[in-house]
Structure formats: structure tokens, C-alpha cells
Amino acid sequence: MTTAPHKIIISDPSLRDGNHSVKHKITLDSIQKYCRFADKAGIPIVEVGHGNGLGAASILIGESDVDDESILLTARENLQNSKLGVHIIPGLATISRDIDRAMDLGVDVFRVATHCTEATLSKSHINYLCNHDKVVHGTLMMTAMIDVKELVLHAKTMEDYGANAIIIMDSTGSYLPRDVKQRIGALVENLSIPVGFHGHNNLGCAVANSLVAAECGATIIDACIRGFGAGAGNAQLEAVVAVLEKSGFETGINFADLISEADNVVEYLVPKLPVSAPINILTGLTKLFSGFEKPILKASRLYDVEYSSLIFELGNRKLVAGQEDLIIEVAKNLQNKS
């Protein structure tokens, strides 16, 4: 299934997904600088916050140097044209504490995200936001863990709740282009709302996967500057825009400004450029959350076990984001066995 070139809305989570790679320590100064660039360059949506979204800062998942409200205030003050987006995981973000305050602070796009098999958990959050006339993207994470039929079922559940669009995340960086073609094609065929794709680069396919998603009818594509993101990083924004425009799609982003800032961000936002290291390839193959890289390496050193052995055991257990404590448990068990 290939569609004619069309307008693509780029949603840029550099200031949210990128936070994973720096242990949720992005500064307000960096947020201010990047938002000013994004607004000038015409990036449609800028997503900000803790790596796991509103209300996620904790000892288990990772504490943040900056609270949610300060992040949102800073971003809102520096985005005049670009829309301000946030990531929300029910169970971490609450309606009364987090969503109400985010609405007060002027958030434009709310992404309500659940594990790919738990779309029903999004009902109260999506319903509440729809009742307040907010733009809601139903977002399914870790989608490589289920087949196409089940993915469509959970996407339609979010659509029924009132979501304005459905985004599927390749949170593990496991997709090959053929996987994207099957999934995006099925979603476009079975849903009546826009479909989007969020790719990680564990197997080196994030940019190619993003192009295939667009060719199969996706109208929303996520990408981060210099690929800034968890593990091996996300689809690289400047490469995605170049490939999409070369293929006839329209993004509306000033490419000259984007390329210039891609050089600048290494000075204030991206301290280490993401690469697809052996550990990232292994987590991609075993369908583990890209953000597990640092906890896995830490547990490997602490308990003197090979990280490859730890990864394969975690993959067998099908761990998902939020189960970081089990990485320690599994590493202990492997140490005892050895």
C-alpha cells in the first residue's frame, strides 16, 4: 500500500525522549534555546518533559532536575507558532494533578500512551481531554510485541474513546521496513483518524521506517534532532526531513535552519551523539525498551554478569518500561546461577 506524497506533521520529542539519554537532566536554558529554534524553523509540534512524561519523575524511573511545571512554562513562553506537546502515561500522570495543570499552562497536544495491549487504561484520560476540546493522540508503546491484528484492535479502542490520531511507537527499535508497511497500512485502512509513527534506531532503520510509514499513509512522524533519544536514539530529524522532502512530501520546516541547529545542539543539548552500539542492537532484537540501556549496564557491572546474557533473559520475560526493578532481580539470579 503506497499513497501519494502528502503533508507530514513532524512531532519533535527531542526535549522529552532525549531526556532519557541524559537521565532526565535537560536544563531550562536548553529548553528555551531549542524551543526558540523550533519555533523559528517551523517545527509543527515540540514535545517536552521527563522521558516518561508528566508525573513520571521518581527514584525508580529517574528523578528530574527540573519539575514539570517549570518545563512547561519555559517551553510555552518560547513557542509562538509551534504547538506544545506532552506525553502522558496513565498511572504516572493523573488528571487532577498533571493534566489540569498542563491545560492551564497552555499545552496544545496531549499524547495519552499505554503499553500496546493496554489501550483500555487510556479511557478516562482520553475522555477527559476530549471533553475539554483538547487535541489527543492515542499512543501505543512497545508495538513490536504484538501482531498486526491485535495492534489494530487496540488502536480502534483508542479511536472509540475519542482520540484525534493514533501513534504507534517502535519503542524497542525492532521494526524493519516491511513491519512498518504491514502495521501502518493496516491502521490507515481500518481507522478513520490520522496515523503516526515513532521510530527508534536500534537496528539502524529509523529513518527508512519513517519514510515507509509516510508512504503507507501516516501523516504524523516523530523525529529528534541528531537522533537524540533513549538507547540508540530516535529517527534523526534532519535526515527524516531531507528524505521526506526528497520523496515529495511536504513538512513545512525550514531545512537550512534545521541543518544549522543540528550543528549547534551539541553545544547545549546533545552531549553525546547516539549510536547503535552492540547493546542497542541486542535490545532491538529482543524487543526490550530502548531506555533499559543504562539500567542493564549498571546491573551488569554490579553483579558481574555479561550484559548479553542479561538482555536475553530480560527478553524472555518480555519486560516493558516501568519494570526497571526487575533488571536488578534478574541480574542477581544470573549471578547466583553462575
Side-chain angles (χ1 to χ4, degrees):
M1 176 182 176
T2 302
T3 63
H6 49 268
K7 176 68 180 284
I8 297 292
I9 297 171
I10 296 291
S11 184
D12 178 356
S14 299
L15 297 176
R16 197 273 305 168
D17 212 330
N19 232 340
H20 281 297
S21 65
V22 293
K23 299 181 179 179
H24 317 287
K25 306 301 183 187
I26 292 179
T27 67
L28 292 180
D29 182 60
S30 295
I31 292 170
Q32 180 187 66
K33 288 179 179 177
Y34 193 77
C35 284
R36 287 179 177 176
F37 144 72
D39 202 61
K40 179 176 178 290
I43 294 175
I45 303 171
V46 178
E47 190 181 326
V48 305
H50 184 281
N52 292 89
L54 293 183
S58 68
I59 294 175
L60 174 62
I61 298 177
E63 295 181 297
S64 176
D65 283 351
V66 185
D67 61 87
D68 289 342
E69 182 163 336
S70 298
I71 291 173
L72 293 178
L73 279 169
T74 301
R76 182 72 282 166
E77 289 171 357
N78 291 279
L79 295 175
Q80 305 301 317
N81 302 303
S82 301
K83 293 181 179 179
L84 173 59
V86 292
H87 187 78
I88 294 170
I89 300 178
L92 298 180
T94 66
I95 290 174
S96 59
R97 182 192 66 202
D98 301 300
I99 292 181
D100 282 344
R101 189 59 182 141
M103 289 193 294
D104 291 341
L105 294 173
V107 171
D108 301 299
V109 179
F110 292 80
R111 286 198 165 179
V112 180
T114 73
H115 182 65
C116 56
T117 61
E118 298 177 342
T120 53
L121 298 179
S122 69
K123 183 177 182 179
S124 60
H125 288 60
I126 292 178
N127 285 169
Y128 187 80
L129 287 162
C130 288
N131 289 336
H132 285 77
D133 297 321
K134 298 300 178 181
V135 175
V136 187
H137 292 176
T139 304
L140 294 168
M141 303 181 291
M142 303 289 290
T143 56
M145 299 183 76
I146 57 176
D147 62 26
V148 177
K149 184 177 180 180
E150 190 173 5
L151 180 63
V152 171
L153 177 66
H154 287 278
K156 286 183 70 67
T157 295
M158 286 183 161
E159 180 182 30
D160 291 342
Y161 293 158
N164 305 110
I166 297 296
I167 313 298
I168 63 167
M169 288 188 162
D170 181 19
S171 312
T172 59
S174 302
Y175 282 176
L176 300 178
R178 68 188 182 205
D179 301 313
V180 178
K181 183 177 182 179
Q182 291 172 347
R183 285 162 168 76
I184 295 296
L187 291 171
V188 170
E189 182 178 354
N190 287 280
L191 301 179
S192 60
I193 55 177
V195 172
F197 177 73
H198 174 108
H200 278 256
N201 203 41
N202 296 60
L203 301 182
C205 295
V207 173
N209 286 342
S210 299
L211 174 60
V212 170
E215 290 175 337
C216 291
T219 56
I220 303 168
I221 299 293
D222 289 6
C224 295
I225 199 157
R226 298 302 288 262
F228 194 38
N234 292 51
Q236 188 173 348
L237 177 61
E238 55 274 23
V240 167
V241 171
V243 169
L244 287 174
E245 296 277 357
K246 185 176 182 179
S247 300
F249 296 93
E250 179 188 350
T251 67
I253 294 174
N254 186 311
F255 188 67
D257 286 348
L258 176 57
I259 286 295
S260 178
E261 198 65 16
D263 278 329
N264 296 336
V265 292
V266 297
E267 302 296 331
Y268 71 88
L269 183 64
V270 188
K272 180 182 178 183
L273 296 178
V275 296
S276 190
I279 185 173
N280 306 127
I281 296 171
L282 286 175
T283 57
L285 289 173
T286 53
K287 300 180 181 180
L288 287 173
F289 172 48
S290 295
F292 280 165
E293 176 190 4
K294 288 180 173 61
I296 287 172
L297 290 175
K298 181 179 179 180
S300 172
R301 291 190 297 266
L302 187 61
Y303 295 99
D304 193 27
V305 296
E306 291 288 340
Y307 71 70
S308 57
S309 299
L310 179 55
I311 286 171
F312 285 119
E313 182 60 29
L314 295 171
N316 289 337
R317 295 194 181 203
K318 298 183 179 181
L319 259 65
V320 298
Q323 294 183 304
E324 283 80 358
D325 55 328
L326 289 180
I327 296 174
I328 296 296
E329 178 185 320
V330 172
K332 283 182 180 179
N333 291 339
L334 288 174
Q335 183 191 51
N336 292 335
K337 288 180 181 179
S338 64

